[in-house]
Amino acid sequence: MTEIGVGIIGGGYMGKAHSVAMSAAAAVFDLPLRPRLEMICASSEASAERYRASFGFRRATADWRVLVNDPEVEAVVIATPQAYHREIAEAAFAKGKPVFCEKPMGASLEDAQAMVQAACGHINMVGYNYIRTPATQYARKLLAEGAIGDVTWFRGENAEDFLADPTLPVNWRTDGIANGCIGDLAPHLFNMALALMGPIERVMAEVETVHRDRPGGTVTNDDQVQMMCRFKNGVMGHLFSSRVATGRKMGYAYEIFGTKGSIKFDQEDQNALWLYRAEGPEAARGYTKILTGPAHPDYEPFCLGPGHGTGYQDQITIEAKDFLTAIHRGENLWPTFEDGLAVIEVTDAALRSAESGRWQDVISD
């Protein structure tokens, strides 16, 4: 059994999630490559040491360059704000180290393109955890098998309400395009659409700031985005993302219509997938609620009981398993930095469309 030293840059919400996932992944999935929590990096020596003690790392630092250059750190997880992603990733790849980078991959299209170039020849993965639920993995399998026939329409959303209250003051999320809805929540939505339906050809988008004035200042980014899209396979779709959707807590949802049935899912009930098959007597037709269980992808390692369910942290653990498996095999697994770039390309097209008021092509090489 082989061991690999892991360094995580960022000790906050996602840094903790990845630290816990790395601790759990090898045991949950009985992996041949087991991570060793070697070093964690935070913005100050005090916070880095606090995270080290809490999460079980051997060492801590306040300088990400120290972590990247340390020979005992053999794989790097980037869990910082996206403004730092490119520089850290390029430095890690220059040292020949595998890199897992949280979404969105870069702060701009230029950053994402440069990161893909730097990743060439190295193990790389971008963090889109919601798409890894057993239910959605099963939905992808059903679509690949043609279970609902030829797809005719797709609707996707990622809606939450953490800024729905207009009396909430301005904060880091209300400043800068990268922290707006289109840079924060919408990438999960775009990744979902790409994973389920394939490449997007063109988009027509509107971007809106609902609560421009908040206590303490002015909001400088968007609250929500809606867009029509046309996939390269010819299917039309509609995508919506919002951080001001009152009442929605984890509204990561999709609905897919086909010639022989349909699929729908809502992550507020993440352990259930709804499947309709257009077969049998009309009077007996209806959606079937499928509760996830050991027969579905990546479920059994967590629990042997059907319907008992997996949760948010389990999604991150599945990501860690995939990253470690890619390193062990020496072969990249989905989603790679190229898949992360595809999300940024959709974001770029949406912003161009919102500015021009016209349909815009999603440019991809």
Side-chain angles (χ1 to χ4, degrees), residues 134-135 271 290-301 303-310:
N271 289 289
I290 301 171
L291 292 177
T292 54
H296 299 107
D298 285 334
Y299 181 101
E300 184 175 2
C303 180
L304 295 178
H308 286 55
T310 58

Side-chain angles (χ1 to χ4, degrees), residues 128 131 154 156-158 181-183 185-198 200 203 205 207 225-227 229 231 239-241 252 339-340 342-351:
Y128 283 101
I131 202 72
F154 175 87
E157 73 171 55
N158 191 7
C181 180
I182 200 166
L185 293 186
H188 278 298
L189 169 68
F190 300 156
N191 170 259
M192 170 222 293
L194 293 167
L196 293 169
M197 297 300 301
I200 295 174
V203 301
V207 176
V225 55
Q226 67 171 355
M227 52 192 271
C229 68
F231 294 92
L239 307 177
F240 170 69
S241 187
Y252 179 95
D339 299 303
V343 171
I344 303 296
E345 288 173 338
V346 175
T347 304
D348 177 73
L351 289 170

